[in-house]
Amino acid sequence: MSNSLLALVLLDTPATPDMAALAKALRARHPELATEVAENGDAQQAQANSPLIRCGNELVAVMSMPAPIPDDPGLWSRASTTWPQAKAAAARHRGHLIVSVLGQNQRPLPAARLTTAAIGALIATVPECCAVVWNGKVARSADLWLDMSSRSFAPYPDYPSSLWVDILPFRSKTGIGAVTMGLSAFAEREIEFETHKLTLPTLVNKVDGLAVYLVEHGLVVKDGDTFGRDSRERFSARYQASDRFEGLPVLFCTDGSA
């Protein structure tokens, strides 16, 4: 599995970040992170036109692209369920920034934390930012990113995983369900959870808790495992290709009724 995480920061009008200002904002927002504009000698590790920020031992590349990203109606329909202005932001943007931590075999969670912190600093210094698309799966507003990215390095479970993983409710034949979008970058699979016992808020809370646990630990829930708070609340989990979502590899969870 590739651990490369790629974020796209959408711009109302094309812009090239001031990398010195970006480094300054990143230091101000995350003083624990040693940050500087990378020396020219580091450029051989990236494309020649990719400005670099050095954060500790890692390099973050920020590439300016004077064009919109390809249209993805499904992405923006999902985003619209919690962000009503999502489709309007997608329609009006005219440029974007590509942000990624460089290097082979990056561990997903540290790379996500660092990329998220860098994006927060970008939004703080580039007023044209209007949205962020995370790894092609999750779209959120720039304002939400600016706020939540301040917790990029918060300890488990308080980091901003909802910027990385979407939870989408649905109705099933036996009740209700929810599926994640974006978790597979951290845990190889998405979660598909169906129940006829839980309320929707409780279901979403269960899925969110399990998703954050898997972001932190990887796919530690094995095929056939059961889990829950106690002996009275047990859920089964199995690996399968989703029947509902076009063969998507999922950790399919039920309360024994679905």
Side-chain angles (χ1 to χ4, degrees):
M1 179 185 66
S2 172
N3 289 337
S4 177
L5 294 169
L6 196 70
L8 305 177
V9 182
L10 277 58
L11 307 170
D12 286 331
T13 56
T16 300
D18 180 331
M19 299 302 279
L22 172 59
K24 181 179 180 180
L26 198 48
R27 287 192 296 267
R29 289 169 61 84
H30 303 282
E32 73 279 15
L33 189 64
T35 303
E36 61 184 357
V37 178
E39 298 294 334
N40 291 337
D42 292 319
Q44 61 186 359
Q45 301 181 47
Q47 296 182 18
N49 62 342
S50 299
L52 303 175
I53 290 288
R54 179 173 289 283
C55 302
N57 295 323
E58 304 293 345
L59 287 173
V60 181
V62 182
M63 183 185 298
S64 181
M65 304 295 288
I69 67 172
D71 189 30
D72 184 343
L75 169 69
W76 297 106
S77 290
R78 294 194 301 271
S80 295
T81 61
T82 56
W83 177 28
Q85 298 80 25
K87 292 181 180 179
R92 75 171 185 265
H93 87 282
R94 293 295 178 265
H96 65 283
L97 305 170
I98 302 174
V99 185
S100 183
V101 178
L102 300 184
Q104 299 296 318
N105 300 316
Q106 290 284 336
R107 291 184 295 142
L109 181 54
R113 288 178 179 273
L114 183 52
T115 306
T116 300
I119 292 170
L122 271 172
I123 295 169
T125 55
V126 181
E128 294 87 353
C129 297
C130 62
V132 179
V133 176
W134 178 260
N135 219 35
K137 300 290 182 66
V138 183
R140 299 283 190 258
S141 73
D143 288 343
L144 184 65
W145 266 86
L146 182 63
D147 177 39
M148 295 190 68
S149 61
S150 64
R151 297 192 278 112
S152 296
F153 300 103
Y156 169 84
D158 295 327
Y159 43 73
S161 58
S162 62
L163 297 177
W164 313 327
V165 179
D166 228 346
I167 300 175
L168 307 168
F170 60 84
R171 291 194 177 276
S172 68
K173 292 181 180 179
T174 57
I176 56 174
V179 64
T180 63
M181 191 65 67
L183 180 62
S184 58
F186 301 90
E188 303 177 33
R189 292 174 175 269
E190 302 296 339
I191 296 168
E192 184 178 351
F193 201 134
E194 293 191 16
T195 179
H196 83 305
K197 297 179 180 179
L198 303 178
T199 64
L200 181 57
T202 301
L203 170 63
V204 170
N205 186 61
K206 295 290 183 189
V207 173
D208 179 59
L210 179 56
V212 174
Y213 184 79
L214 297 182
V215 167
E216 175 75 14
H217 299 287
L219 192 58
V220 293
V221 178
K222 303 304 180 184
D223 189 16
D225 278 358
T226 59
F227 62 95
R229 289 182 305 179
D230 51 45
S231 59
R232 293 172 297 176
E233 180 188 82
R234 305 305 296 171
F235 304 98
S236 64
R238 63 181 187 271
Y239 296 0
Q240 68 178 54
S242 173
D243 294 330
R244 181 182 295 272
F245 299 103
E246 300 179 346
L248 182 72
V250 296
L251 182 67
F252 185 75
C253 304
T254 70
D255 53 18
S257 62

